[in-house]
Amino acid sequence: MSDPLAVIAELPGVPEAVTDARKAVDRLYGHRVLRRKSPEVSARSALRGARASAALDGVDVPLEAIPEVTDPVVQGALRVSAELGRLGPTWRAAPRQVLARLHTLAAAGLTEHLGRPRGAAEAPDLLGLGAAPGPEETVARVDGLVELVTGTSKAPALVLAAIVHAELAVLRPFGSADGVVARAAERLTLVEFGLDPKSLAAVELGHLELGAAYPESLKAYLSGTPDGVAVWVRHCASAVTLGVREATAICEAMQRG
């Protein structure tokens, strides 16, 4: 199959979900606050995204408490968020290098094996997805993921981002902080492949707000069926739309002063 992403992009309900998310992003980008303050909106969105990503990994703290929190999961999510803007150009050319860097940032304080693929058969299962694939299968599937990121698919950025996120989340290639890495890679893909070039949408917060639908949609993806994969991509589209809503709220608050 020459373009598997294009096939996924045509699964039931996916074109409509992708279009709705694209329209939401376009409306956000028309907000007058962004004419002068898009970097500040992006920074606030990144902070909210980091907090949400840590919460999805089990450490949920109030946004206002973030500056004082020393928990390594939260600190790792913050480091990843701060670094994303510098990793963009490398993501398309050398995805493995970027993933290793993301893990090094996310997992400091959690493991000594920073940036290195896990050699053990077992990996933490924070989302209740079941056993992770073994190291050999994981390496093979990461190779396939690298081919997708560096390839020439014409599928929408949201579809690629969804698959990047799902594969990293279910493979758990590092054995620690894999959820933070997966969600960061999704956001990075949305930015670098053109859906959200200013990194405004707090997509991680969208996943958090969708609650149990997040792990359940990943389980649907794990089924490997067309319907299951479509469920996951539609879930990611909803997360983007909710992330846009949060960014819009940031814009409105800044406009009010």
Side-chain angles (χ1 to χ4, degrees):
M1 190 178 297
S2 60
D3 192 351
L5 292 174
V7 175
I8 294 172
E10 295 302 323
L11 291 175
V14 170
E16 296 83 357
V18 169
T19 296
D20 288 347
R22 170 83 263 180
K23 289 179 179 177
V25 172
D26 288 345
R27 287 193 296 271
L28 168 64
Y29 272 64
H31 201 289
R32 66 177 62 187
V33 165
L34 297 176
R35 297 172 190 169
R36 296 184 179 180
K37 296 185 177 181
S38 64
E40 185 176 347
V41 176
S42 177
R44 294 189 185 189
S45 169
L47 180 62
R48 286 157 174 77
R51 188 204 71 81
S53 197
L56 287 165
D57 267 16
V59 185
D60 193 353
V61 298
L63 186 66
E64 59 273 15
I66 288 289
E68 288 78 38
V69 174
T70 59
D71 183 275
V73 173
V74 175
Q75 288 298 313
L78 290 170
R79 286 191 296 268
V80 163
S81 180
E83 185 82 357
L84 280 186
R86 290 186 284 273
L87 295 176
T90 310
W91 179 232
R92 284 176 175 265
R96 284 189 186 85
Q97 179 180 331
V98 171
L99 291 175
R101 177 60 178 162
L102 289 175
H103 183 254
T104 297
L105 294 167
L110 298 173
T111 180
E112 295 180 355
H113 305 291
L114 299 175
R116 286 184 279 172
R118 62 178 166 89
E122 297 181 355
D125 185 15
L126 300 179
L127 296 174
L129 302 178
E136 290 186 5
E137 180 183 347
T138 297
V139 168
R141 285 176 63 172
V142 169
D143 287 345
L145 185 60
V146 166
E147 290 181 7
L148 292 179
V149 174
T150 59
T152 58
S153 175
K154 301 300 182 184
L158 194 151
V159 173
L160 175 58
I163 300 306
V164 165
H165 183 161
E167 284 293 291
L168 293 172
V170 302
L171 293 176
R172 287 158 270 170
F174 298 104
S176 59
D178 291 298
V180 171
V181 171
R183 291 181 288 273
E186 177 189 28
R187 185 163 184 155
L188 189 57
T189 304
L190 294 172
V191 171
E192 289 304 311
F193 286 79
L195 179 62
D196 182 18
K198 295 182 179 180
S199 193
L200 301 175
V203 62
E204 306 92 340
L205 183 60
H207 290 299
L208 180 64
E209 289 191 1
L210 287 165
Y214 178 53
E216 291 303 320
S217 297
L218 277 170
K219 289 177 185 177
Y221 176 85
L222 267 172
S223 72
T225 65
D227 285 347
V229 174
V231 165
W232 169 249
V233 179
R234 294 196 301 266
H235 166 87
C236 288
S238 296
V240 168
T241 300
L242 288 171
V244 165
R245 186 182 69 181
E246 180 66 17
T248 302
I250 293 170
C251 290
E252 293 295 328
M254 291 173 64
Q255 184 169 279
R256 290 192 299 269

